[in-house]
Amino acid sequence: MPIPTPYYAVWEITLACNLKCTHCGSRAGKARDRELTTDECYRVVDQLADLGVQEVTLIGGEAYLRDDWDLVLKRIADKGMRPSMATGGRGITKERVIRARDAGITSVGVSIDGMEAAHDKLRGVPGSWRWAMLALDLFRDAGVRIASNCQVNRVNLRDLEALCDALLDKGIEGWQVQITAALGRAADHPEMLLQPFDMLEFIPRLARLKEKCEARGVDLGPGNNVGYFGPYESILRRRFGRNIHWEGCGAGVTTIGIESDGTFKGCPSLQTADYTAGNLLEQSAREIWENSQSLQKHRDFSRKDLWGFCATCYYADTCKAGCRFTAHGLLGKAGNMPYCYHRAETLKAQGQREVLVPVERAPGLPFDNGRFELKLEPYREEMIDGPVPQLQPARFTV
């Protein structure tokens, strides 16, 4: 099998952050003890261009907390790749927007997780929602294409429709919606995580919002851990008039994730302890991409690696058990993905539903996870309409 060409890289250039997000997979806050220097970043940019990468998104932490963030953006643009950035928005000013625009940034995604109360609760800093909405205004008014992304959980699921309206009014061109995964700090708060049976409510609502966005010329893109199959798949994944469907995780096939110390993974959200492919301070991007056994395992991932419900599924050969870091974060290994509409619908027809029960704590490191067990119980209708859960320390059964 020929080695594929990656087209997209997501690069955490610092772990420093000015928010305190309860659902942060990297547990961002302070910069890592050793982060790449400007010259080292330039070499990484050059190597990504040599690999054939087409777009590089800078993230953090908060990318602009590095003094040279715009220099890295400019280097990406100068090498013929599309530079973009994802931000929480707190601290975005006109001066920073102009620096990004002048460096050649092509688009920016502002993370907004619900309306004001839910967003500020999740982000851990009062006023962060207003900062994020202001950031959209500042970038849009400077001529930079704007988009937004949202992590959905039990704190903000009620806000989806109102948030959609607010973002459309801001003039976004794209909206990515994903499920909060049990990764990093989110693993410490199982009370905020969606349950597998919540897919029966969440997915139809998201499909309706997809059609609303399309009518306004906005691309709503489901994240890699949203799906899979069933009656809403063709609606959720169609893009620009083309009907497409989920075809398996792109980690190590189409995507690259880079941490600020040079750690190289097949996807930025993959658990560092389990999926590190190499380090760019020790090997070139090409050497890692072409020779890493960790990346090759992603490329060879198939039905034989599936287990549980996913191993028996009609869509197994195509789906390959959905998003790997999400499944691993829940059950301790990839290959069995509880967040699946088709799976929840199938179990409902059998009078059953799955419930995730936390049994093992996360160690407290960036991109770590604990472990949950799946409990089968009789199906009962349960809508997300009660009080917003209070964020509290996790309770574990063992």
Side-chain angles (χ1 to χ4, degrees):
M1 177 180 178
I3 296 173
T5 299
Y7 71 82
Y8 185 48
V10 180
W11 183 0
E12 167 212 289
I13 61 171
T14 182
L15 203 58
C17 193
N18 53 17
L19 292 171
K20 303 174 183 178
C21 301
T22 307
H23 54 329
C24 180
S26 65
R27 300 183 183 269
K30 296 181 180 180
R32 296 180 190 271
D33 292 338
R34 168 69 162 96
E35 298 192 329
L36 300 178
T37 66
T38 303
D39 285 341
E40 288 166 345
C41 285
Y42 286 167
R43 288 197 289 274
V44 170
V45 172
D46 296 350
Q47 291 172 19
L48 293 177
D50 176 65
L51 265 183
V53 170
Q54 299 174 30
E55 180 176 355
V56 182
T57 298
L58 299 187
I59 64 169
E62 194 59 79
Y64 57 74
L65 293 181
R66 273 186 71 126
D67 292 338
D68 59 358
W69 64 280
D70 55 328
L71 300 179
V72 179
L73 282 173
K74 186 176 187 306
R75 184 77 166 205
I76 294 167
D78 289 346
K79 287 295 178 177
M81 297 179 288
R82 294 189 301 274
S84 57
M85 185 170 73
T87 174
R90 183 177 182 227
I92 288 292
T93 61
K94 288 183 179 179
E95 183 268 339
R96 283 177 168 144
V97 168
I98 292 169
R99 285 175 65 180
R101 184 192 64 190
D102 292 350
I105 197 168
T106 56
S107 63
V108 62
V110 180
S111 301
I112 303 179
D113 295 313
M115 299 303 286
E116 186 168 5
H119 176 94
D120 285 3
K121 178 191 286 283
L122 289 166
R123 294 279 162 178
V125 177
S128 58
W129 187 84
R130 296 190 179 191
W131 266 111
M133 298 299 275
L134 174 62
L136 287 174
D137 290 336
L138 292 174
F139 278 109
R140 182 200 62 227
D141 293 347
V144 177
R145 296 174 58 200
I146 58 171
S148 186
N149 52 76
C150 175
Q151 288 197 33
V152 178
N153 49 63
R154 286 183 165 244
V155 176
N156 63 15
L157 182 58
R158 303 159 185 80
D159 287 356
L160 278 178
E161 287 77 11
L163 177 60
C164 180
D165 289 340
L167 294 174
L168 289 175
D169 289 344
K170 288 292 183 183
I172 62 167
E173 297 186 32
W175 188 27
Q176 185 186 72
V177 180
Q178 62 190 50
I179 296 169
T180 295
L183 191 72
R185 292 193 195 113
D188 303 335
H189 293 280
E191 75 282 354
M192 70 182 284
L193 300 175
L194 295 180
Q195 286 289 345
F197 58 82
D198 290 329
M199 299 305 103
L200 297 173
E201 175 186 349
F202 168 53
I203 296 299
R205 286 173 59 189
L206 191 61
R208 290 193 292 271
L209 293 176
K210 168 82 170 187
E211 294 180 318
K212 183 173 188 175
C213 288
E214 284 183 334
R216 295 276 294 271
V218 173
D219 178 35
L220 189 162
N224 289 339
N225 63 6
V226 174
Y228 305 86
F229 297 95
Y232 302 101
E233 176 74 4
S234 61
I235 298 172
L236 286 174
R237 298 203 182 273
R238 69 186 176 208
R239 300 198 70 191
F240 312 115
R242 294 189 303 117
N243 287 327
I244 56 179
H245 58 77
W246 174 257
E247 295 182 293
C249 178
V253 179
T254 58
T255 62
I256 290 171
I258 302 171
E259 296 179 6
S260 58
D261 61 0
T263 297
F264 190 111
K265 302 183 292 188
C267 163
S269 299
L270 282 166
Q271 287 80 355
T272 304
D274 298 281
Y275 296 103
T276 293
N279 191 289
L280 291 165
L281 292 174
E282 301 167 358
Q283 295 175 278
S284 72
R286 181 170 293 279
E287 288 172 329
I288 298 172
W289 185 257
E290 293 182 351
N291 300 314
S292 165
Q293 290 302 303
S294 175
L295 297 180
Q296 192 59 47
K297 287 179 181 178
H298 287 300
R299 296 162 192 161
D300 294 339
F301 203 83
S302 66
R303 181 188 281 269
K304 64 179 173 53
D305 299 296
L306 309 188
W307 57 285
F309 182 97
C310 289
T312 68
C313 181
Y314 173 82
Y315 298 106
D317 290 318
T318 300
C319 180
K320 301 175 186 176
C323 174
R324 274 170 222 151
F325 83 82
T326 302
H328 187 119
L330 292 171
L331 303 178
K333 63 178 180 177
N336 188 20
M337 174 56 159
Y339 290 151
C340 169
Y341 183 88
H342 169 70
R343 175 172 178 156
E345 187 179 50
T346 300
L347 290 172
K348 179 183 177 181
Q350 299 169 1
Q352 297 178 308
R353 70 179 195 175
E354 291 177 313
V355 176
L356 290 162
V357 179
V359 295
E360 185 177 319
R361 292 183 182 276
L365 302 172
F367 299 106
D368 64 349
N369 63 270
R371 188 172 59 83
F372 294 69
E373 288 183 350
L374 280 171
K375 175 186 174 184
L376 263 182
E377 64 180 29
Y379 180 82
R380 67 176 187 273
E381 203 72 38
E382 185 173 333
M383 303 293 285
I384 304 291
D385 56 4
V388 173
Q390 296 298 310
L391 301 180
Q392 54 195 5
R395 297 185 178 90
F396 296 86
T397 60
V398 294

PDB file of all heavy atoms in Angstrom, residues 159-185:
ATOM      1  N   ASP A 159     -28.374  24.606  24.046  1.00  0.00           N
ATOM      2  CA  ASP A 159     -28.102  25.905  23.409  1.00  0.00           C
ATOM      3  C   ASP A 159     -27.903  25.832  21.904  1.00  0.00           C
ATOM      4  O   ASP A 159     -27.696  26.866  21.263  1.00  0.00           O
ATOM      5  CB  ASP A 159     -26.831  26.521  24.011  1.00  0.00           C
ATOM      6  CG  ASP A 159     -27.029  27.056  25.419  1.00  0.00           C
ATOM      7  OD1 ASP A 159     -28.170  27.021  25.910  1.00  0.00           O
ATOM      8  OD2 ASP A 159     -26.035  27.505  26.012  1.00  0.00           O
ATOM      9  N   LEU A 160     -27.919  24.644  21.318  1.00  0.00           N
ATOM     10  CA  LEU A 160     -27.494  24.503  19.923  1.00  0.00           C
ATOM     11  C   LEU A 160     -28.252  25.414  18.968  1.00  0.00           C
ATOM     12  O   LEU A 160     -27.650  26.089  18.127  1.00  0.00           O
ATOM     13  CB  LEU A 160     -27.642  23.044  19.482  1.00  0.00           C
ATOM     14  CG  LEU A 160     -26.501  22.096  19.874  1.00  0.00           C
ATOM     15  CD1 LEU A 160     -26.819  20.688  19.402  1.00  0.00           C
ATOM     16  CD2 LEU A 160     -25.180  22.572  19.304  1.00  0.00           C
ATOM     17  N   GLU A 161     -29.570  25.450  19.071  1.00  0.00           N
ATOM     18  CA  GLU A 161     -30.363  26.241  18.125  1.00  0.00           C
ATOM     19  C   GLU A 161     -30.101  27.733  18.298  1.00  0.00           C
ATOM     20  O   GLU A 161     -29.923  28.466  17.313  1.00  0.00           O
ATOM     21  CB  GLU A 161     -31.855  25.921  18.294  1.00  0.00           C
ATOM     22  CG  GLU A 161     -32.253  24.555  17.766  1.00  0.00           C
ATOM     23  CD  GLU A 161     -31.883  23.390  18.666  1.00  0.00           C
ATOM     24  OE1 GLU A 161     -31.482  23.630  19.839  1.00  0.00           O
ATOM     25  OE2 GLU A 161     -31.975  22.229  18.216  1.00  0.00           O
ATOM     26  N   ALA A 162     -30.075  28.207  19.548  1.00  0.00           N
ATOM     27  CA  ALA A 162     -29.816  29.630  19.794  1.00  0.00           C
ATOM     28  C   ALA A 162     -28.401  30.008  19.363  1.00  0.00           C
ATOM     29  O   ALA A 162     -28.172  31.086  18.797  1.00  0.00           O
ATOM     30  CB  ALA A 162     -30.028  29.954  21.270  1.00  0.00           C
ATOM     31  N   LEU A 163     -27.441  29.116  19.613  1.00  0.00           N
ATOM     32  CA  LEU A 163     -26.068  29.392  19.209  1.00  0.00           C
ATOM     33  C   LEU A 163     -25.954  29.458  17.697  1.00  0.00           C
ATOM     34  O   LEU A 163     -25.259  30.331  17.152  1.00  0.00           O
ATOM     35  CB  LEU A 163     -25.133  28.318  19.770  1.00  0.00           C
ATOM     36  CG  LEU A 163     -23.657  28.446  19.373  1.00  0.00           C
ATOM     37  CD1 LEU A 163     -23.074  29.773  19.846  1.00  0.00           C
ATOM     38  CD2 LEU A 163     -22.850  27.273  19.936  1.00  0.00           C
ATOM     39  N   CYS A 164     -26.625  28.554  17.007  1.00  0.00           N
ATOM     40  CA  CYS A 164     -26.612  28.569  15.548  1.00  0.00           C
ATOM     41  C   CYS A 164     -27.094  29.923  15.028  1.00  0.00           C
ATOM     42  O   CYS A 164     -26.456  30.533  14.160  1.00  0.00           O
ATOM     43  CB  CYS A 164     -27.488  27.448  15.007  1.00  0.00           C
ATOM     44  SG  CYS A 164     -27.552  27.351  13.210  1.00  0.00           S
ATOM     45  N   ASP A 165     -28.198  30.416  15.565  1.00  0.00           N
ATOM     46  CA  ASP A 165     -28.727  31.712  15.126  1.00  0.00           C
ATOM     47  C   ASP A 165     -27.724  32.832  15.394  1.00  0.00           C
ATOM     48  O   ASP A 165     -27.511  33.708  14.540  1.00  0.00           O
ATOM     49  CB  ASP A 165     -30.045  32.019  15.841  1.00  0.00           C
ATOM     50  CG  ASP A 165     -31.199  31.143  15.372  1.00  0.00           C
ATOM     51  OD1 ASP A 165     -31.102  30.582  14.254  1.00  0.00           O
ATOM     52  OD2 ASP A 165     -32.180  31.016  16.121  1.00  0.00           O
ATOM     53  N   ALA A 166     -27.103  32.817  16.569  1.00  0.00           N
ATOM     54  CA  ALA A 166     -26.154  33.874  16.921  1.00  0.00           C
ATOM     55  C   ALA A 166     -24.941  33.872  15.997  1.00  0.00           C
ATOM     56  O   ALA A 166     -24.453  34.928  15.580  1.00  0.00           O
ATOM     57  CB  ALA A 166     -25.715  33.707  18.377  1.00  0.00           C
ATOM     58  N   LEU A 167     -24.456  32.677  15.653  1.00  0.00           N
ATOM     59  CA  LEU A 167     -23.288  32.581  14.780  1.00  0.00           C
ATOM     60  C   LEU A 167     -23.625  32.964  13.340  1.00  0.00           C
ATOM     61  O   LEU A 167     -22.823  33.624  12.667  1.00  0.00           O
ATOM     62  CB  LEU A 167     -22.716  31.165  14.841  1.00  0.00           C
ATOM     63  CG  LEU A 167     -22.125  30.750  16.196  1.00  0.00           C
ATOM     64  CD1 LEU A 167     -21.715  29.287  16.176  1.00  0.00           C
ATOM     65  CD2 LEU A 167     -20.945  31.634  16.584  1.00  0.00           C
ATOM     66  N   LEU A 168     -24.783  32.553  12.870  1.00  0.00           N
ATOM     67  CA  LEU A 168     -25.193  32.955  11.521  1.00  0.00           C
ATOM     68  C   LEU A 168     -25.304  34.469  11.425  1.00  0.00           C
ATOM     69  O   LEU A 168     -24.914  35.069  10.412  1.00  0.00           O
ATOM     70  CB  LEU A 168     -26.522  32.297  11.162  1.00  0.00           C
ATOM     71  CG  LEU A 168     -26.481  30.781  10.917  1.00  0.00           C
ATOM     72  CD1 LEU A 168     -27.888  30.236  10.699  1.00  0.00           C
ATOM     73  CD2 LEU A 168     -25.594  30.425   9.740  1.00  0.00           C
ATOM     74  N   ASP A 169     -25.797  35.104  12.477  1.00  0.00           N
ATOM     75  CA  ASP A 169     -25.902  36.564  12.477  1.00  0.00           C
ATOM     76  C   ASP A 169     -24.532  37.234  12.450  1.00  0.00           C
ATOM     77  O   ASP A 169     -24.407  38.386  12.007  1.00  0.00           O
ATOM     78  CB  ASP A 169     -26.685  37.042  13.698  1.00  0.00           C
ATOM     79  CG  ASP A 169     -28.175  36.721  13.615  1.00  0.00           C
ATOM     80  OD1 ASP A 169     -28.646  36.403  12.501  1.00  0.00           O
ATOM     81  OD2 ASP A 169     -28.853  36.770  14.655  1.00  0.00           O
ATOM     82  N   LYS A 170     -23.502  36.550  12.921  1.00  0.00           N
ATOM     83  CA  LYS A 170     -22.143  37.095  12.893  1.00  0.00           C
ATOM     84  C   LYS A 170     -21.492  36.982  11.518  1.00  0.00           C
ATOM     85  O   LYS A 170     -20.449  37.578  11.272  1.00  0.00           O
ATOM     86  CB  LYS A 170     -21.259  36.373  13.925  1.00  0.00           C
ATOM     87  CG  LYS A 170     -21.576  36.729  15.368  1.00  0.00           C
ATOM     88  CD  LYS A 170     -21.208  38.165  15.688  1.00  0.00           C
ATOM     89  CE  LYS A 170     -21.459  38.492  17.155  1.00  0.00           C
ATOM     90  NZ  LYS A 170     -21.166  39.913  17.472  1.00  0.00           N
ATOM     91  N   GLY A 171     -22.085  36.170  10.641  1.00  0.00           N
ATOM     92  CA  GLY A 171     -21.527  36.030   9.299  1.00  0.00           C
ATOM     93  C   GLY A 171     -20.485  34.948   9.152  1.00  0.00           C
ATOM     94  O   GLY A 171     -19.635  35.009   8.260  1.00  0.00           O
ATOM     95  N   ILE A 172     -20.567  33.899   9.996  1.00  0.00           N
ATOM     96  CA  ILE A 172     -19.605  32.803   9.850  1.00  0.00           C
ATOM     97  C   ILE A 172     -19.787  32.112   8.501  1.00  0.00           C
ATOM     98  O   ILE A 172     -20.869  32.100   7.930  1.00  0.00           O
ATOM     99  CB  ILE A 172     -19.736  31.767  10.983  1.00  0.00           C
ATOM    100  CG1 ILE A 172     -21.126  31.118  10.972  1.00  0.00           C
ATOM    101  CG2 ILE A 172     -19.401  32.369  12.326  1.00  0.00           C
ATOM    102  CD1 ILE A 172     -21.233  29.886  11.841  1.00  0.00           C
ATOM    103  N   GLU A 173     -18.698  31.532   8.005  1.00  0.00           N
ATOM    104  CA  GLU A 173     -18.748  30.761   6.760  1.00  0.00           C
ATOM    105  C   GLU A 173     -18.746  29.264   7.022  1.00  0.00           C
ATOM    106  O   GLU A 173     -19.101  28.482   6.134  1.00  0.00           O
ATOM    107  CB  GLU A 173     -17.573  31.147   5.858  1.00  0.00           C
ATOM    108  CG  GLU A 173     -17.613  32.608   5.422  1.00  0.00           C
ATOM    109  CD  GLU A 173     -16.526  32.947   4.415  1.00  0.00           C
ATOM    110  OE1 GLU A 173     -16.148  32.061   3.621  1.00  0.00           O
ATOM    111  OE2 GLU A 173     -16.045  34.087   4.425  1.00  0.00           O
ATOM    112  N   GLY A 174     -18.334  28.856   8.219  1.00  0.00           N
ATOM    113  CA  GLY A 174     -18.310  27.441   8.561  1.00  0.00           C
ATOM    114  C   GLY A 174     -18.519  27.247  10.045  1.00  0.00           C
ATOM    115  O   GLY A 174     -18.200  28.129  10.858  1.00  0.00           O
ATOM    116  N   TRP A 175     -19.083  26.098  10.389  1.00  0.00           N
ATOM    117  CA  TRP A 175     -19.325  25.761  11.798  1.00  0.00           C
ATOM    118  C   TRP A 175     -19.043  24.286  11.985  1.00  0.00           C
ATOM    119  O   TRP A 175     -19.695  23.446  11.368  1.00  0.00           O
ATOM    120  CB  TRP A 175     -20.772  26.078  12.174  1.00  0.00           C
ATOM    121  CG  TRP A 175     -21.100  25.956  13.626  1.00  0.00           C
ATOM    122  CD1 TRP A 175     -20.250  26.106  14.683  1.00  0.00           C
ATOM    123  CD2 TRP A 175     -22.383  25.663  14.201  1.00  0.00           C
ATOM    124  NE1 TRP A 175     -20.908  25.938  15.871  1.00  0.00           N
ATOM    125  CE2 TRP A 175     -22.227  25.668  15.611  1.00  0.00           C
ATOM    126  CE3 TRP A 175     -23.652  25.425  13.655  1.00  0.00           C
ATOM    127  CZ2 TRP A 175     -23.278  25.422  16.478  1.00  0.00           C
ATOM    128  CZ3 TRP A 175     -24.708  25.171  14.531  1.00  0.00           C
ATOM    129  CH2 TRP A 175     -24.526  25.178  15.920  1.00  0.00           C
ATOM    130  N   GLN A 176     -18.043  23.985  12.810  1.00  0.00           N
ATOM    131  CA  GLN A 176     -17.741  22.588  13.120  1.00  0.00           C
ATOM    132  C   GLN A 176     -18.304  22.243  14.490  1.00  0.00           C
ATOM    133  O   GLN A 176     -18.046  22.952  15.473  1.00  0.00           O
ATOM    134  CB  GLN A 176     -16.247  22.299  13.107  1.00  0.00           C
ATOM    135  CG  GLN A 176     -15.949  20.811  13.320  1.00  0.00           C
ATOM    136  CD  GLN A 176     -14.486  20.497  13.452  1.00  0.00           C
ATOM    137  OE1 GLN A 176     -13.870  20.811  14.465  1.00  0.00           O
ATOM    138  NE2 GLN A 176     -13.913  19.893  12.424  1.00  0.00           N
ATOM    139  N   VAL A 177     -19.072  21.167  14.542  1.00  0.00           N
ATOM    140  CA  VAL A 177     -19.686  20.725  15.792  1.00  0.00           C
ATOM    141  C   VAL A 177     -19.173  19.329  16.107  1.00  0.00           C
ATOM    142  O   VAL A 177     -19.260  18.427  15.268  1.00  0.00           O
ATOM    143  CB  VAL A 177     -21.224  20.721  15.677  1.00  0.00           C
ATOM    144  CG1 VAL A 177     -21.840  20.254  16.992  1.00  0.00           C
ATOM    145  CG2 VAL A 177     -21.735  22.112  15.306  1.00  0.00           C
ATOM    146  N   GLN A 178     -18.626  19.164  17.295  1.00  0.00           N
ATOM    147  CA  GLN A 178     -18.123  17.865  17.697  1.00  0.00           C
ATOM    148  C   GLN A 178     -18.592  17.550  19.106  1.00  0.00           C
ATOM    149  O   GLN A 178     -19.120  18.421  19.811  1.00  0.00           O
ATOM    150  CB  GLN A 178     -16.600  17.810  17.621  1.00  0.00           C
ATOM    151  CG  GLN A 178     -15.891  18.787  18.545  1.00  0.00           C
ATOM    152  CD  GLN A 178     -14.408  18.871  18.258  1.00  0.00           C
ATOM    153  OE1 GLN A 178     -13.982  19.043  17.119  1.00  0.00           O
ATOM    154  NE2 GLN A 178     -13.604  18.768  19.297  1.00  0.00           N
ATOM    155  N   ILE A 179     -18.401  16.317  19.516  1.00  0.00           N
ATOM    156  CA  ILE A 179     -18.799  15.875  20.846  1.00  0.00           C
ATOM    157  C   ILE A 179     -17.610  16.019  21.788  1.00  0.00           C
ATOM    158  O   ILE A 179     -16.484  15.652  21.440  1.00  0.00           O
ATOM    159  CB  ILE A 179     -19.267  14.407  20.809  1.00  0.00           C
ATOM    160  CG1 ILE A 179     -20.524  14.275  19.936  1.00  0.00           C
ATOM    161  CG2 ILE A 179     -19.534  13.870  22.208  1.00  0.00           C
ATOM    162  CD1 ILE A 179     -20.903  12.840  19.629  1.00  0.00           C
ATOM    163  N   THR A 180     -17.845  16.565  22.980  1.00  0.00           N
ATOM    164  CA  THR A 180     -16.782  16.604  23.980  1.00  0.00           C
ATOM    165  C   THR A 180     -16.337  15.185  24.297  1.00  0.00           C
ATOM    166  O   THR A 180     -17.149  14.340  24.705  1.00  0.00           O
ATOM    167  CB  THR A 180     -17.265  17.294  25.262  1.00  0.00           C
ATOM    168  OG1 THR A 180     -17.542  18.668  24.972  1.00  0.00           O
ATOM    169  CG2 THR A 180     -16.202  17.228  26.353  1.00  0.00           C
ATOM    170  N   ALA A 181     -15.063  14.918  24.090  1.00  0.00           N
ATOM    171  CA  ALA A 181     -14.510  13.590  24.343  1.00  0.00           C
ATOM    172  C   ALA A 181     -13.942  13.514  25.751  1.00  0.00           C
ATOM    173  O   ALA A 181     -13.548  14.529  26.338  1.00  0.00           O
ATOM    174  CB  ALA A 181     -13.419  13.279  23.319  1.00  0.00           C
ATOM    175  N   ALA A 182     -13.876  12.318  26.283  1.00  0.00           N
ATOM    176  CA  ALA A 182     -13.358  12.097  27.642  1.00  0.00           C
ATOM    177  C   ALA A 182     -11.835  12.128  27.609  1.00  0.00           C
ATOM    178  O   ALA A 182     -11.156  11.126  27.857  1.00  0.00           O
ATOM    179  CB  ALA A 182     -13.872  10.774  28.188  1.00  0.00           C
ATOM    180  N   LEU A 183     -11.305  13.298  27.310  1.00  0.00           N
ATOM    181  CA  LEU A 183      -9.874  13.497  27.109  1.00  0.00           C
ATOM    182  C   LEU A 183      -9.435  14.651  27.998  1.00  0.00           C
ATOM    183  O   LEU A 183     -10.147  15.656  28.135  1.00  0.00           O
ATOM    184  CB  LEU A 183      -9.616  13.839  25.639  1.00  0.00           C
ATOM    185  CG  LEU A 183      -8.181  13.843  25.137  1.00  0.00           C
ATOM    186  CD1 LEU A 183      -7.657  12.414  25.039  1.00  0.00           C
ATOM    187  CD2 LEU A 183      -8.094  14.505  23.755  1.00  0.00           C
ATOM    188  N   GLY A 184      -8.263  14.546  28.617  1.00  0.00           N
ATOM    189  CA  GLY A 184      -7.756  15.635  29.435  1.00  0.00           C
ATOM    190  C   GLY A 184      -8.710  15.984  30.563  1.00  0.00           C
ATOM    191  O   GLY A 184      -9.214  15.113  31.275  1.00  0.00           O
ATOM    192  N   ARG A 185      -8.984  17.290  30.741  1.00  0.00           N
ATOM    193  CA  ARG A 185      -9.838  17.717  31.854  1.00  0.00           C
ATOM    194  C   ARG A 185     -11.261  17.177  31.740  1.00  0.00           C
ATOM    195  O   ARG A 185     -11.937  16.981  32.758  1.00  0.00           O
ATOM    196  CB  ARG A 185      -9.872  19.250  31.938  1.00  0.00           C
ATOM    197  CG  ARG A 185      -8.547  19.872  32.362  1.00  0.00           C
ATOM    198  CD  ARG A 185      -8.719  21.337  32.721  1.00  0.00           C
ATOM    199  NE  ARG A 185      -7.420  21.989  32.785  1.00  0.00           N
ATOM    200  CZ  ARG A 185      -7.006  22.920  31.935  1.00  0.00           C
ATOM    201  NH1 ARG A 185      -7.814  23.329  30.960  1.00  0.00           N
ATOM    202  NH2 ARG A 185      -5.806  23.458  32.054  1.00  0.00           N
TER     203      ARG A 185
END
